[in-house]
Amino acid sequence: MSGSRITIFDTTTHKQLAEIAPGDWVRPIALRRDESLAYVALSKLHGFAVVDLKQEKTIRRVELPAAATWNRDPAL
């Protein structure tokens, strides 16, 4: 992974298989159990991108709703 790209490696051969650019800067990643999809947090998106690792492309961007301001402690 290099900034705005996800790099996929074969762990047996240690060779690079693909590089995917989901957009913006890549933050933490979670993989689906079967490793077909990656859920990628992006620095400029309040949400995440869904990346199809077999097709090597972003298939969806999910934007989360804004946090409720009434629930915040004004002393913080």
Side-chain angles (χ1 to χ4, degrees):
M1 185 170 62
S2 172
S4 61
R5 298 188 176 278
I6 299 169
T7 304
I8 301 173
F9 285 92
D10 181 316
T11 57
T12 304
T13 64
H14 303 285
K15 292 188 179 190
Q16 181 176 328
L17 300 177
E19 219 175 49
I20 305 167
D24 301 324
W25 283 86
V26 174
R27 305 298 289 170
I29 297 173
L31 293 177
R32 188 170 152 170
R33 186 177 298 259
D34 65 5
E35 298 181 353
S36 62
L37 299 176
Y39 303 93
V40 183
L42 301 172
S43 62
K44 294 182 181 179
L45 175 68
H46 181 65
F48 56 93
V50 181
V51 178
D52 185 311
L53 297 174
K54 300 205 185 319
Q55 294 183 43
E56 300 178 12
K57 67 178 186 176
T58 301
I59 57 172
R60 186 171 177 209
R61 289 170 73 102
V62 178
E63 190 158 347
L64 300 173
T69 56
W70 56 267
N71 201 20
R72 294 187 183 155
D73 183 349
L76 297 177

Coordinates of all heavy atoms in Angstrom, one line a residue:
M1 N 0.9 -1.2 0.0 CA 0.0 0.0 0.0 C 0.9 1.2 0.0 O 1.8 1.4 0.8 CB -0.9 0.0 1.2 CG -1.9 1.0 1.3 SD -3.1 0.8 2.6 CE -2.1 0.8 4.0
S2 N 0.6 2.1 -0.9 CA 1.4 3.3 -1.0 C 0.6 4.5 -1.2 O 0.2 4.9 -2.2 CB 2.4 3.2 -2.2 OG 3.0 4.4 -2.4
G3 N 0.2 5.2 0.0 CA -0.6 6.4 -0.1 C -2.0 6.2 -0.6 O -2.9 5.9 0.1
S4 N -2.1 6.4 -1.9 CA -3.5 6.4 -2.5 C -3.7 5.1 -3.3 O -4.6 5.0 -4.1 CB -3.7 7.6 -3.4 OG -2.7 7.5 -4.5
R5 N -2.9 4.1 -3.0 CA -3.1 2.8 -3.7 C -3.0 1.6 -2.8 O -2.4 1.7 -1.7 CB -2.0 2.6 -4.8 CG -2.0 3.7 -5.8 CD -1.0 3.3 -6.9 NE -1.0 4.3 -8.0 CZ -1.9 4.3 -9.0 NH1 -2.8 3.3 -9.0 NH2 -1.9 5.2 -9.9
I6 N -3.7 0.5 -3.2 CA -3.6 -0.7 -2.5 C -2.8 -1.7 -3.3 O -3.0 -1.8 -4.5 CB -5.0 -1.4 -2.3 CG1 -5.9 -0.5 -1.5 CG2 -4.9 -2.8 -1.7 CD1 -7.3 -0.9 -1.5
T7 N -1.7 -2.3 -2.8 CA -0.9 -3.2 -3.5 C -1.2 -4.6 -3.0 O -1.2 -4.8 -1.8 CB 0.6 -2.9 -3.3 OG1 0.8 -1.5 -3.7 CG2 1.5 -3.8 -4.1
I8 N -1.5 -5.5 -4.0 CA -1.8 -6.9 -3.6 C -0.6 -7.7 -4.0 O 0.0 -7.7 -5.1 CB -3.0 -7.4 -4.4 CG1 -4.2 -6.5 -4.1 CG2 -3.3 -8.8 -4.1 CD1 -5.4 -6.7 -4.9
F9 N -0.1 -8.5 -3.0 CA 1.0 -9.4 -3.1 C 0.6 -10.9 -3.0 O -0.3 -11.2 -2.2 CB 2.1 -9.1 -2.0 CG 2.8 -7.9 -2.3 CD1 2.4 -6.7 -1.7 CD2 4.0 -7.9 -3.0 CE1 3.1 -5.5 -2.0 CE2 4.7 -6.7 -3.3 CZ 4.3 -5.5 -2.7
D10 N 1.3 -11.7 -3.6 CA 1.2 -13.2 -3.4 C 2.1 -13.5 -2.3 O 3.3 -13.3 -2.4 CB 1.6 -13.9 -4.7 CG 1.5 -15.4 -4.6 OD1 1.9 -16.0 -3.5 OD2 1.0 -16.1 -5.5
T11 N 1.6 -14.0 -1.2 CA 2.4 -14.3 0.0 C 3.3 -15.5 -0.1 O 4.2 -15.7 0.7 CB 1.5 -14.4 1.2 OG1 0.6 -15.5 1.0 CG2 0.7 -13.2 1.6
T12 N 3.1 -16.3 -1.2 CA 3.9 -17.5 -1.4 C 5.2 -17.0 -2.2 O 6.3 -17.4 -1.8 CB 3.2 -18.6 -2.1 OG1 2.0 -18.9 -1.4 CG2 4.0 -19.8 -2.3
T13 N 4.9 -16.3 -3.3 CA 6.0 -15.9 -4.2 C 6.6 -14.5 -3.8 O 7.7 -14.2 -4.3 CB 5.5 -15.9 -5.6 OG1 4.6 -14.8 -5.8 CG2 5.0 -17.2 -6.1
H14 N 5.9 -13.8 -3.0 CA 6.3 -12.4 -2.6 C 6.4 -11.5 -3.8 O 7.1 -10.5 -3.9 CB 7.7 -12.4 -1.9 CG 7.7 -13.3 -0.7 ND1 7.0 -12.9 0.5 CD2 8.2 -14.5 -0.5 CE1 7.2 -13.9 1.4 NE2 7.9 -14.8 0.8
K15 N 5.5 -11.8 -4.8 CA 5.5 -10.9 -6.0 C 4.2 -10.1 -6.0 O 3.2 -10.5 -5.5 CB 5.5 -11.8 -7.3 CG 6.8 -12.5 -7.5 CD 6.9 -13.2 -8.8 CE 8.3 -13.8 -8.9 NZ 8.5 -14.3 -10.3
Q16 N 4.4 -8.9 -6.5 CA 3.2 -8.0 -6.6 C 2.3 -8.5 -7.7 O 2.7 -8.8 -8.8 CB 3.7 -6.6 -7.0 CG 2.5 -5.6 -7.1 CD 3.0 -4.2 -7.3 OE1 4.1 -3.8 -6.9 NE2 2.3 -3.4 -8.0
L17 N 1.0 -8.6 -7.4 CA 0.0 -9.1 -8.3 C -0.8 -7.9 -9.0 O -1.2 -8.0 -10.1 CB -1.0 -10.0 -7.7 CG -0.4 -11.3 -7.0 CD1 -1.5 -12.1 -6.3 CD2 0.3 -12.1 -8.1
A18 N -1.1 -6.9 -8.2 CA -1.9 -5.8 -8.7 C -1.8 -4.6 -7.8 O -1.3 -4.7 -6.7 CB -3.4 -6.2 -8.7
E19 N -2.2 -3.5 -8.4 CA -2.3 -2.2 -7.6 C -3.6 -1.6 -8.0 O -4.0 -1.5 -9.1 CB -1.1 -1.3 -8.1 CG -0.5 -0.6 -6.9 CD 0.7 0.2 -7.3 OE1 0.7 1.0 -8.3 OE2 1.7 0.1 -6.6
I20 N -4.3 -1.2 -6.9 CA -5.7 -0.6 -7.1 C -5.7 0.8 -6.5 O -5.2 0.9 -5.4 CB -6.7 -1.5 -6.4 CG1 -6.6 -2.9 -7.0 CG2 -8.1 -1.0 -6.7 CD1 -7.4 -4.0 -6.2
A21 N -6.3 1.7 -7.2 CA -6.4 3.1 -6.7 C -7.9 3.4 -6.4 O -8.6 3.8 -7.2 CB -5.8 4.1 -7.7
P22 N -8.3 3.2 -5.1 CA -9.7 3.4 -4.7 C -10.1 4.9 -4.6 O -11.2 5.3 -4.5 CB -9.9 2.7 -3.4 CG -8.5 2.8 -2.8 CD -7.5 2.7 -4.0
G23 N -9.1 5.8 -4.7 CA -9.4 7.3 -4.6 C -8.9 7.8 -3.2 O -8.9 7.1 -2.2
D24 N -8.5 9.0 -3.2 CA -8.0 9.7 -2.0 C -6.9 8.8 -1.3 O -6.3 8.0 -1.9 CB -9.1 9.9 -1.0 CG -10.2 10.8 -1.6 OD1 -9.9 11.7 -2.3 OD2 -11.4 10.5 -1.3
W25 N -6.6 9.1 -0.1 CA -5.5 8.4 0.6 C -6.1 7.2 1.4 O -7.1 7.4 2.1 CB -4.8 9.3 1.6 CG -3.8 10.2 0.8 CD1 -4.1 11.4 0.2 CD2 -2.5 9.9 0.5 NE1 -3.0 11.9 -0.4 CE2 -2.0 11.0 -0.3 CE3 -1.6 8.9 0.8 CZ2 -0.7 11.1 -0.8 CZ3 -0.3 9.0 0.3 CH2 0.1 10.0 -0.5
V26 N -5.5 6.1 1.2 CA -6.0 4.9 1.8 C -5.6 4.9 3.3 O -4.5 5.2 3.7 CB -5.4 3.6 1.1 CG1 -5.7 2.4 1.9 CG2 -5.8 3.6 -0.3
R27 N -6.6 4.5 4.1 CA -6.5 4.4 5.6 C -6.6 3.0 5.9 O -6.4 2.1 5.1 CB -7.5 5.4 6.2 CG -7.5 6.8 5.8 CD -6.2 7.5 6.0 NE -6.1 7.7 7.4 CZ -5.0 8.2 8.0 NH1 -3.9 8.4 7.3 NH2 -4.9 8.4 9.3
P28 N -7.2 2.6 7.1 CA -7.3 1.2 7.5 C -8.2 0.4 6.5 O -9.1 1.0 5.8 CB -8.0 1.3 8.8 CG -7.6 2.6 9.4 CD -7.5 3.5 8.2
I29 N -7.8 -0.9 6.4 CA -8.5 -1.8 5.5 C -9.0 -3.0 6.2 O -8.4 -3.5 7.1 CB -7.6 -2.3 4.4 CG1 -7.1 -1.1 3.5 CG2 -8.2 -3.3 3.5 CD1 -6.0 -1.5 2.5
A30 N -10.2 -3.4 5.9 CA -10.8 -4.7 6.4 C -11.1 -5.6 5.2 O -11.6 -5.1 4.2 CB -12.0 -4.4 7.2
L31 N -10.8 -6.9 5.3 CA -11.1 -7.8 4.2 C -12.3 -8.7 4.6 O -12.5 -9.1 5.7 CB -9.9 -8.7 4.0 CG -8.6 -8.1 3.4 CD1 -7.5 -9.1 3.3 CD2 -8.9 -7.5 2.1
R32 N -13.1 -9.0 3.5 CA -14.1 -9.9 3.7 C -13.5 -11.3 3.9 O -12.4 -11.5 3.5 CB -15.0 -9.9 2.4 CG -16.2 -10.8 2.5 CD -17.0 -10.5 1.3 NE -17.8 -11.6 1.0 CZ -18.8 -11.6 0.1 NH1 -19.0 -10.5 -0.6 NH2 -19.5 -12.7 -0.1
R33 N -14.2 -12.2 4.7 CA -13.6 -13.4 5.0 C -13.0 -14.2 3.8 O -12.0 -14.9 3.9 CB -14.6 -14.3 5.8 CG -14.0 -15.6 6.4 CD -15.1 -16.3 7.1 NE -15.5 -15.6 8.3 CZ -15.1 -15.8 9.5 NH1 -14.2 -16.7 9.8 NH2 -15.5 -15.1 10.5
D34 N -13.8 -14.2 2.7 CA -13.3 -14.9 1.5 C -12.3 -14.2 0.7 O -11.9 -14.6 -0.4 CB -14.5 -15.4 0.6 CG -15.2 -14.2 0.0 OD1 -14.8 -13.0 0.2 OD2 -16.3 -14.4 -0.6
E35 N -11.9 -13.0 1.2 CA -10.9 -12.1 0.6 C -11.3 -11.6 -0.8 O -10.4 -11.3 -1.6 CB -9.5 -12.8 0.6 CG -9.0 -13.1 1.9 CD -7.6 -13.7 2.0 OE1 -7.1 -14.0 0.9 OE2 -7.1 -13.8 3.1
S36 N -12.6 -11.6 -1.1 CA -13.0 -11.1 -2.4 C -13.2 -9.6 -2.4 O -13.1 -8.9 -3.5 CB -14.3 -11.8 -2.9 OG -15.3 -11.5 -2.0
L37 N -13.5 -9.0 -1.3 CA -13.7 -7.6 -1.1 C -12.9 -7.0 0.0 O -12.6 -7.6 1.0 CB -15.2 -7.3 -0.8 CG -16.3 -7.8 -1.8 CD1 -17.6 -7.5 -1.2 CD2 -16.1 -7.1 -3.1
A38 N -12.5 -5.7 -0.3 CA -11.8 -5.0 0.8 C -12.7 -3.7 1.1 O -13.2 -3.1 0.2 CB -10.4 -4.5 0.3
Y39 N -12.8 -3.4 2.4 CA -13.5 -2.2 2.8 C -12.5 -1.3 3.2 O -11.7 -1.5 4.2 CB -14.5 -2.6 3.9 CG -15.4 -3.7 3.5 CD1 -15.2 -5.0 3.8 CD2 -16.6 -3.4 2.9 CE1 -16.0 -6.0 3.4 CE2 -17.5 -4.4 2.4 CZ -17.2 -5.7 2.7 OH -18.0 -6.7 2.3
V40 N -12.4 -0.2 2.5 CA -11.2 0.7 2.6 C -11.7 2.1 3.1 O -12.4 2.8 2.5 CB -10.5 0.9 1.3 CG1 -9.3 1.8 1.4 CG2 -10.2 -0.5 0.7
A41 N -11.1 2.5 4.3 CA -11.4 3.9 4.8 C -10.5 4.8 4.0 O -9.3 4.5 3.7 CB -11.1 4.0 6.2
L42 N -11.1 5.9 3.5 CA -10.4 6.9 2.7 C -10.3 8.2 3.5 O -11.2 8.6 4.2 CB -11.0 7.1 1.4 CG -11.1 5.9 0.5 CD1 -12.0 6.2 -0.7 CD2 -9.8 5.4 0.1
S43 N -9.2 9.0 3.4 CA -9.0 10.1 4.2 C -9.9 11.3 3.9 O -10.2 12.0 4.8 CB -7.5 10.6 4.0 OG -7.3 11.0 2.7
K44 N -10.5 11.4 2.8 CA -11.4 12.5 2.5 C -12.8 12.1 2.3 O -13.6 12.8 1.8 CB -10.9 13.2 1.2 CG -9.6 13.9 1.3 CD -9.2 14.6 0.0 CE -7.8 15.2 0.1 NZ -7.4 15.8 -1.1
L45 N -13.1 10.9 2.9 CA -14.5 10.4 2.8 C -14.9 10.0 4.2 O -14.2 9.2 4.8 CB -14.6 9.2 1.8 CG -15.9 8.5 1.8 CD1 -16.9 9.4 1.1 CD2 -15.8 7.2 1.0
H46 N -16.1 10.5 4.7 CA -16.6 10.1 5.9 C -17.4 8.8 5.6 O -18.6 8.9 5.5 CB -17.5 11.2 6.6 CG -18.0 10.8 7.9 ND1 -17.2 10.5 9.0 CD2 -19.3 10.5 8.3 CE1 -18.0 10.2 10.0 NE2 -19.3 10.2 9.6
G47 N -16.7 7.7 5.5 CA -17.3 6.5 5.1 C -16.2 5.6 4.6 O -15.1 5.6 5.1
F48 N -16.5 4.8 3.6 CA -15.5 3.8 3.1 C -15.8 3.4 1.6 O -16.9 3.6 1.1 CB -15.4 2.6 3.9 CG -16.8 1.9 4.1 CD1 -17.1 0.8 3.2 CD2 -17.7 2.2 5.1 CE1 -18.3 0.2 3.4 CE2 -18.9 1.6 5.2 CZ -19.2 0.6 4.3
A49 N -14.8 2.9 1.0 CA -14.9 2.4 -0.4 C -15.0 0.8 -0.3 O -14.3 0.3 0.5 CB -13.8 2.8 -1.3
V50 N -15.8 0.2 -1.2 CA -15.8 -1.2 -1.3 C -15.0 -1.5 -2.6 O -15.3 -1.1 -3.7 CB -17.2 -1.8 -1.4 CG1 -17.2 -3.3 -1.5 CG2 -18.0 -1.3 -0.2
V51 N -13.9 -2.3 -2.4 CA -13.1 -2.7 -3.6 C -13.2 -4.1 -3.9 O -13.0 -5.0 -3.0 CB -11.6 -2.3 -3.2 CG1 -10.7 -2.7 -4.4 CG2 -11.5 -0.8 -2.9
D52 N -13.5 -4.5 -5.1 CA -13.5 -5.8 -5.6 C -12.1 -6.2 -5.9 O -11.5 -5.7 -6.9 CB -14.5 -6.0 -6.8 CG -14.6 -7.4 -7.2 OD1 -13.6 -8.1 -7.4 OD2 -15.8 -7.8 -7.5
L53 N -11.5 -7.1 -5.2 CA -10.1 -7.5 -5.3 C -9.9 -8.3 -6.6 O -8.8 -8.3 -7.1 CB -9.6 -8.2 -4.1 CG -9.6 -7.3 -2.8 CD1 -9.2 -8.1 -1.6 CD2 -8.7 -6.1 -3.0
K54 N -10.9 -9.1 -7.0 CA -10.7 -9.9 -8.2 C -10.8 -9.0 -9.5 O -10.1 -9.2 -10.4 CB -11.7 -11.0 -8.2 CG -11.6 -11.9 -7.0 CD -12.1 -13.3 -7.2 CE -12.1 -14.2 -6.0 NZ -10.9 -14.1 -5.2
Q55 N -11.8 -8.1 -9.5 CA -11.9 -7.2 -10.6 C -10.9 -6.0 -10.6 O -10.8 -5.3 -11.5 CB -13.3 -6.6 -10.7 CG -14.4 -7.6 -11.0 CD -15.8 -7.0 -11.0 OE1 -15.9 -5.9 -11.6 NE2 -16.8 -7.6 -10.4
E56 N -10.3 -5.8 -9.4 CA -9.3 -4.8 -9.2 C -9.9 -3.4 -9.4 O -9.3 -2.5 -10.1 CB -8.1 -5.0 -10.1 CG -7.4 -6.3 -9.8 CD -6.2 -6.6 -10.7 OE1 -5.7 -5.7 -11.4 OE2 -5.7 -7.7 -10.7
K57 N -11.1 -3.1 -8.8 CA -11.7 -1.8 -9.0 C -12.6 -1.5 -7.8 O -13.1 -2.4 -7.2 CB -12.4 -1.7 -10.3 CG -13.6 -2.5 -10.4 CD -14.3 -2.3 -11.8 CE -15.6 -3.0 -11.9 NZ -16.3 -2.7 -13.1
T58 N -12.8 -0.2 -7.6 CA -13.8 0.2 -6.6 C -15.2 0.0 -7.1 O -15.5 0.4 -8.3 CB -13.6 1.7 -6.2 OG1 -12.3 1.8 -5.7 CG2 -14.6 2.2 -5.2
I59 N -16.0 -0.7 -6.4 CA -17.4 -1.0 -6.9 C -18.5 -0.1 -6.2 O -19.6 0.0 -6.6 CB -17.8 -2.5 -6.8 CG1 -17.6 -3.0 -5.3 CG2 -16.9 -3.3 -7.7 CD1 -18.2 -4.4 -5.1
R60 N -18.1 0.5 -5.0 CA -19.0 1.3 -4.3 C -18.3 2.2 -3.3 O -17.3 1.8 -2.8 CB -20.0 0.4 -3.6 CG -21.1 1.1 -2.9 CD -22.2 0.1 -2.4 NE -23.2 0.8 -1.7 CZ -23.9 0.4 -0.7 NH1 -23.7 -0.9 -0.3 NH2 -24.8 1.1 -0.1
R61 N -18.9 3.4 -3.1 CA -18.4 4.3 -2.0 C -19.6 4.5 -1.1 O -20.7 4.9 -1.5 CB -17.9 5.6 -2.6 CG -16.6 5.5 -3.3 CD -16.2 6.7 -4.1 NE -15.8 7.8 -3.3 CZ -14.6 8.1 -3.1 NH1 -13.6 7.5 -3.7 NH2 -14.2 9.2 -2.3
V62 N -19.4 4.3 0.2 CA -20.5 4.4 1.2 C -20.1 5.6 2.1 O -19.1 5.6 2.7 CB -20.6 3.1 2.0 CG1 -21.6 3.3 3.1 CG2 -20.8 1.9 1.2
E63 N -21.0 6.6 2.0 CA -20.8 7.8 2.9 C -21.7 7.6 4.1 O -22.9 7.4 4.0 CB -21.2 9.1 2.1 CG -20.8 10.3 2.9 CD -20.6 11.5 2.0 OE1 -20.5 11.3 0.8 OE2 -20.5 12.6 2.5
L64 N -21.1 7.8 5.3 CA -21.8 7.7 6.5 C -22.5 9.0 6.9 O -22.0 10.1 6.5 CB -20.8 7.2 7.6 CG -20.2 5.9 7.4 CD1 -19.1 5.6 8.5 CD2 -21.2 4.8 7.4
P65 N -23.6 9.0 7.6 CA -24.2 10.2 8.0 C -23.3 11.0 9.0 O -22.5 10.4 9.7 CB -25.5 9.7 8.7 CG -25.3 8.3 9.1 CD -24.3 7.8 8.1
A66 N -23.5 12.3 9.1 CA -22.8 13.1 10.0 C -23.2 12.7 11.5 O -24.3 12.3 11.7 CB -23.1 14.6 9.7
A67 N -22.3 12.9 12.4 CA -22.5 12.7 13.8 C -23.5 13.7 14.3 O -23.5 14.8 13.9 CB -21.2 12.7 14.6
A68 N -24.4 13.2 15.2 CA -25.4 14.1 15.8 C -24.7 15.1 16.7 O -23.9 14.7 17.6 CB -26.4 13.3 16.6
T69 N -24.9 16.4 16.6 CA -24.3 17.4 17.4 C -24.9 17.5 18.8 O -24.3 17.9 19.7 CB -24.4 18.8 16.7 OG1 -25.7 19.1 16.4 CG2 -23.5 18.8 15.4
W70 N -26.2 17.1 18.9 CA -26.8 17.2 20.2 C -26.3 16.2 21.2 O -26.5 16.3 22.4 CB -28.4 16.9 20.0 CG -28.7 15.6 19.4 CD1 -28.9 15.4 18.0 CD2 -28.8 14.4 20.0 NE1 -29.1 14.1 17.8 CE2 -29.1 13.4 19.0 CE3 -28.7 13.9 21.3 CZ2 -29.3 12.1 19.2 CZ3 -28.9 12.5 21.5 CH2 -29.2 11.6 20.5
N71 N -25.6 15.2 20.8 CA -25.0 14.2 21.6 C -23.7 14.5 22.2 O -23.1 13.7 22.9 CB -25.0 12.8 20.8 CG -25.0 11.6 21.8 OD1 -25.3 11.7 22.9 ND2 -24.5 10.5 21.2
R72 N -23.1 15.6 21.8 CA -21.8 15.9 22.2 C -21.8 16.7 23.5 O -22.6 17.6 23.8 CB -21.1 16.8 21.1 CG -20.9 16.0 19.9 CD -20.0 16.8 18.9 NE -19.9 16.0 17.7 CZ -19.7 16.5 16.5 NH1 -19.5 17.8 16.4 NH2 -19.6 15.7 15.5
D73 N -20.8 16.4 24.4 CA -20.7 17.1 25.6 C -20.0 18.5 25.4 O -18.9 18.5 24.9 CB -19.8 16.3 26.6 CG -19.7 16.9 28.0 OD1 -20.0 18.0 28.2 OD2 -19.2 16.1 28.8
P74 N -20.6 19.6 25.7 CA -20.1 20.9 25.4 C -18.8 21.2 26.2 O -18.0 22.0 25.9 CB -21.2 21.9 25.8 CG -22.1 21.2 26.6 CD -22.0 19.7 26.3
A75 N -18.6 20.4 27.3 CA -17.4 20.6 28.1 C -16.1 20.1 27.4 O -15.0 20.4 27.8 CB -17.6 20.0 29.5
L76 N -16.3 19.2 26.4 CA -15.2 18.6 25.7 C -14.7 19.5 24.7 O -14.4 20.0 23.9 CB -15.5 17.3 25.2 CG -15.9 16.2 26.2 CD1 -16.4 14.9 25.5 CD2 -14.8 15.9 27.1

